[in-house]
Amino acid sequence: MNTNIESDIPKYRKRKESNRSKSKSKSNHKHIKKECLLIVNNIPNLANYCVVCGKILTSDLCWGKCEGGGHILLSREEALKKYKDFEQFTVSDYYTKYVPLNVIENESGN
């Protein structure tokens, strides 16, 4: 009776395939950083993203220097004016991990 119970229990679990994309561009590379502006709920954030895979590496609010030596949060207009040369991406929320690379490819193709 014990042999039937032991034979019903598998010795190990088989690995499942990942549900993530098997894209080669996201697989194994060193991130190439590029600065950009992420716009979340009409608030610009200064960020770095990888050019190869589109992963957002760092993100922070746009800060400016104050007269007293401190820092002050820049308004939307000031941030857009200061970082007008950076690429701008509109994302849905702060927890977005990737920027849409297909937008970049479409713009460069035209």
Side-chain angles (χ1 to χ4, degrees), residues 16-80:
K16 294 182 181 179
E17 281 192 38
S18 173
N19 59 358
R20 289 210 167 197
S21 172
K22 303 271 188 204
S23 172
K24 288 185 180 181
S25 64
K26 290 185 181 180
S27 63
N28 204 4
H29 66 278
K30 291 193 176 205
H31 292 298
I32 302 169
K33 294 181 184 179
K34 186 173 181 184
E35 291 184 323
C36 68
L37 274 181
L38 291 180
I39 307 210
V40 184
N41 298 331
N42 262 345
I43 300 171
N45 295 299
L46 191 59
N48 287 327
Y49 76 98
C50 177
V51 178
V52 177
C53 64
K55 182 174 183 175
I56 299 171
L57 303 171
T58 60
S59 178
D60 195 16
L61 295 172
C62 296
W63 296 96
K65 290 193 177 184
C66 216
E67 293 175 4
H71 290 81
I72 188 168
L73 186 65
L74 296 177
S75 69
R76 183 179 191 281
E77 292 79 22
E78 291 172 335
L80 291 175

